[in-house]
Amino acid sequence: MTRIAPTAVLALGAAAALALTACAPRDGGGGGEALAPTELVTALPAATTPVDEVTWSIVEGEPATLDPVSSANLIIPNLCDNLLSLQPDFSVEPGIATSAEWADPTTFVIELRDDVTFWDGSPVTAEDVVYSLERNRSPESQWFSAFALVTGIAASGPHEVTVTFSAPDSTFRDALAGQGGAVMSAAFGAGAGDGLGTSEAGLMCTGPYELAADGWTPGSEIVTTANPDYWNGAPLVDTLRYVFVSDASTLATALTEGEIDGALNVSPSSRAAFEGEGAGRLVVGPSTASYSFGPASAEGPAANPDIRRALSLAIDREQYIDTVLNGLGEVQRTIVPEFTFQELSAADVYQEGYDALAAPEVDLDTATQLVEDSGEDVSEPLVLAVPAGATEFKNTAQIVQSAAKQIGLTIEIDEMQASDFGAMFYDASAREGIDLVATQGYLETPGVLGYPSLFMLPEELGGVFNWSGYANADVTAHMQAARTATDERTAAQEFVAAQEIFAPDMLQVTLAGAYQLSYVNDGLTGITSSVAMYSSPWALHLGGE
C-alpha cells in the first residue's frame, strides 16, 4: 500500500547501503546525543521495566477515525492487529495468521491462530476475517487497489479463510502485513454501523492496546490502556495517551522539556533542538518515503517530460538535503527507494535495476537546452502548489523556484490551506490553475509496485494521480506482468523493465529520501524507528529502560 501525505511532516528515506544497528541505551542524563545520519536503527532495544503512563504526540493531528479501512494514522497499529506482522526491518512474519500462502496461482489460503481474542474476550473467527477483508473490496477503502483482482473471500474452515483471484497477484500477501490485513469484530462492526472507528461508536480489535468507551475526547486526546490478555504478551506501558501537537517548534519545546514523552515523524527543522540538551534523544531510522513534485495537469509545460527533466537537472540534491532536511536524508534515484525491497527474495534483481538508473546530477547547460527544445511556451510562470504552514514544503518550493530561474523558467509558489491542498488529490477542479504539486509519500508495506502505479498507469489500473495523462503501453504491460507473475524473480525483472522506461520520464521529480525521525524520553525505549511503524504495533515493546 502506498500513502500520499501532502500535509503531514513524515520522516523519509532509503537506507539499503547502510548497516542497520541497534541503538545502544544511554545512561540517564539529560543531553540528547547527536546521532550521525549513517547510524540508522530499525528499533530501539525492547523495554524491561513497566511504566504507568506515557504521553505521545501525533504530529499529523487528530485523526477523523480509527477505522483501518478509512484512515492511516499511528494509533491504529497499536489497536488493530494485522493478519501478517511487518517487522522493523521491513520483513514479514506471521501475525494473527500462522500462514498466508498461495495454494495455486489464483487461490490464497489464510490459516489463523486459535488463541486470539478481541478486547471483549470473544474469539477471532474465520467469519471475522472474511468481514474485515471484504470491507477492503469497496472503492471507499484506502486498500481497494490491493484487492482489485479478488473475486471471492470465504471461510473454508473454523480457522481458515480462502481468497480467490481473477489472476495471480504478487502484491496481495504483503498487503496483509499492512492495514489491509487488519482484523476487526464482525459483530461489533454490525452494531456500530457507519460510526465504526469514531469517538462515539469506537471499535473492537485484538491489538496490545484497547480503546475504552470514553477513551476518545474529540479535540483533546485519545487514551488507550494495555490489553492484559494480548495474545503476543501484554505491553509494559499501562496507559498510552495520545495528544495532538503539530507545530514543529511547539512540539520540540514540549519534547525537550519532558512535557511530552515522545513523538514519531518529528520535523528535521528541529534537529538542533533535539540534539541539544533535553529530556530525550533523537532516533534516526530508515524509511521508504520521498519528497517529490509532479505535474497537476495534462496541459501546459509541466506535462512535458523535457520540462520535468530540466527541472531535475537544475536542482542540487545535496543542497536540498542540507537545507530542507538538515542533513537527515540521502539522494534517491527514483520514487521507489532501496529499503522497500531489501527483504524481498529477489532483492538482488531490484538492486541491480536501481543501481543502473542514472544518479541525479546538476547540469544547467543541458537543462537550459531541454527547455529551449521543448517547444513549450514558458513565458508565463508555472504554479507550484504546497501546503501552507509546512516548513519542509515551503523550503522545497523555494529551492525549486531558484533552480528554475537558472534555466529560463519562472515558478510561482501557491501556499494552499490544508483543506484546499488536500482537495486537489480527489477533485480535478481543485487543480485548475496549478501546474505542479509537491508531495510526500511512502510505502508502508514491502513491494515496489504501489507508488509508481499511482502516477504512470491508467486510472482504471490504479493511476489515480496520473494527472498528466501519461500513457506508455510498454510501462503498463511490464507493470501488469510484474503484478500477475507467479515467480518473484520474474516479477522483479518485469518491474525493472518498467522502471527503465518510467524513471527518466520523471512522472515525479524525486528530490530526496529522508530518514525516519523520532524523539523519545531518555527513560523510555522499545519503539520501532523505521517506517514499519505504520503497520506494526510499535508501542508493544515500549517501556522503561
Side-chain angles (χ1 to χ4, degrees):
M1 177 62 184
T2 305
R3 308 285 184 201
I4 294 291
T7 60
V9 181
L10 302 181
L12 314 173
L18 304 176
L20 303 179
T21 59
C23 181
R26 293 172 30 186
D27 297 327
E33 297 176 359
L35 187 64
T38 52
E39 295 182 273
L40 302 184
V41 301
T42 57
L44 295 180
T48 57
T49 59
V51 176
D52 289 337
E53 181 173 309
V54 167
T55 298
W56 206 267
S57 182
I58 302 298
V59 305
E60 294 83 6
E62 184 174 10
T65 178
L66 294 175
D67 182 355
V69 165
S70 305
S71 178
N73 62 71
L74 288 164
I75 302 174
I76 293 174
N78 292 324
L79 299 174
C80 302
D81 280 320
N82 304 325
L83 288 166
L84 296 175
S85 176
L86 187 63
Q87 303 303 300
D89 66 357
F90 235 47
S91 61
V92 175
E93 300 288 343
I96 292 179
T98 58
S99 69
E101 303 293 346
W102 293 96
D104 61 49
T106 58
T107 306
F108 191 85
V109 178
I110 302 168
E111 300 288 349
L112 304 173
R113 296 177 62 104
D114 62 4
D115 59 348
V116 180
T117 62
F118 292 107
W119 302 327
D120 63 1
S122 60
V124 172
T125 67
E127 286 73 18
D128 292 310
V129 174
V130 171
Y131 159 78
S132 300
L133 296 181
E134 281 285 0
R135 298 182 70 227
N136 290 308
R137 297 183 68 189
S138 165
E140 296 179 356
S141 168
Q142 60 180 332
W143 288 89
F144 175 67
S145 62
F147 287 72
L149 302 182
V150 172
T151 57
I153 305 173
S156 46
H159 299 99
E160 182 182 274
V161 173
T162 298
V163 185
T164 54
F165 292 75
S166 60
D169 190 343
S170 64
T171 69
F172 183 73
R173 186 178 188 276
D174 289 330
L176 298 184
Q179 290 180 13
V183 177
M184 305 181 74
S185 166
F188 187 93
D194 292 340
L196 183 65
T198 65
S199 58
E200 294 85 4
L203 72 167
M204 183 60 62
C205 288
T206 70
Y209 286 88
E210 54 185 293
L211 178 69
D214 57 351
W216 186 348
T217 304
S220 177
E221 64 180 12
I222 293 177
V223 178
T224 63
T225 56
N227 176 4
D229 301 316
Y230 184 51
W231 63 272
N232 203 19
L236 288 174
V237 175
D238 185 61
T239 300
L240 184 54
R241 184 169 68 98
Y242 300 97
V243 295
F244 314 106
V245 181
S246 55
D247 179 78
S249 178
T250 302
L251 178 61
T253 299
L255 287 167
T256 55
E257 293 185 356
E259 296 172 0
I260 294 175
D261 296 309
L264 307 170
N265 299 328
V266 296
S267 172
S269 66
S270 299
R271 179 178 185 177
F274 291 142
E275 292 182 340
E277 293 293 323
R281 76 275 204 188
L282 181 69
V283 182
V284 184
S287 185
T288 63
S290 56
Y291 281 104
S292 62
F293 65 90
S297 170
E299 305 294 331
N304 187 326
D306 282 340
I307 297 296
R308 300 194 297 270
R309 293 187 190 106
L311 283 169
S312 178
L313 288 168
I315 296 170
D316 186 330
R317 265 58 170 198
E318 297 292 351
Q319 180 193 38
Y320 181 87
I321 291 169
D322 289 342
T323 304
V324 178
L325 304 180
N326 255 329
L328 295 170
E330 62 189 25
V331 176
Q332 193 170 299
R333 298 189 179 203
T334 183
I335 60 175
V336 179
E338 297 167 276
F339 185 61
T340 304
F341 53 74
Q342 288 307 298
E343 294 300 318
L344 301 181
S345 63
D348 60 321
V349 178
Y350 291 114
Q351 189 67 59
E352 183 178 354
Y354 182 89
D355 291 342
L357 298 175
E361 61 179 357
V362 178
D363 186 341
L364 296 180
D365 290 338
T366 300
T368 302
Q369 194 63 50
L370 280 169
V371 173
E372 293 177 358
D373 294 343
S374 68
E376 299 290 342
D377 179 3
V378 295
S379 60
E380 295 295 323
L382 300 180
V383 178
L384 171 62
V386 297
T391 302
E392 284 75 23
F393 281 108
K394 181 177 181 179
N395 292 342
T396 293
Q398 291 173 342
I399 284 181
V400 175
Q401 184 182 56
S402 177
K405 185 176 181 180
Q406 298 182 77
I407 60 173
L409 295 174
T410 302
I411 297 289
E412 178 182 304
I413 301 171
D414 186 353
E415 293 191 66
M416 303 175 69
Q417 293 304 308
S419 58
D420 296 330
F421 189 81
M424 290 193 300
F425 292 83
Y426 309 101
D427 182 358
S429 65
R431 297 192 295 273
E432 291 181 5
I434 303 297
D435 297 288
L436 296 162
V437 178
T439 61
Q440 185 187 47
Y442 63 96
L443 291 132
E444 69 176 281
T445 56
V448 300
L449 292 172
Y451 204 12
S453 295
L454 296 174
F455 302 101
M456 68 270 308
L457 289 183
E459 184 175 2
E460 64 271 16
L461 295 178
V464 295
F465 301 140
N466 185 2
W467 301 327
S468 67
Y470 180 80
N472 186 302
D474 290 336
V475 169
T476 300
H478 285 304
M479 292 285 282
Q480 291 301 97
R483 179 167 188 170
T484 58
T486 56
D487 173 73
E488 291 189 23
R489 296 190 72 82
T490 299
Q493 291 162 356
E494 290 289 348
F495 173 77
V496 168
Q499 183 178 248
E500 290 175 354
I501 303 170
F502 72 67
D505 288 336
M506 298 282 176
L507 271 299
Q508 287 292 107
V509 180
T510 305
L511 296 169
Y515 304 128
Q516 174 62 51
L517 307 182
S518 307
Y519 190 85
V520 187
N521 187 292
D522 272 330
L524 297 175
T525 186
I527 64 162
T528 298
S529 52
S530 76
V531 75
M533 64 192 180
Y534 283 99
S535 295
S536 62
W538 55 265
L540 174 60
H541 303 292
L542 179 66
E545 290 185 335

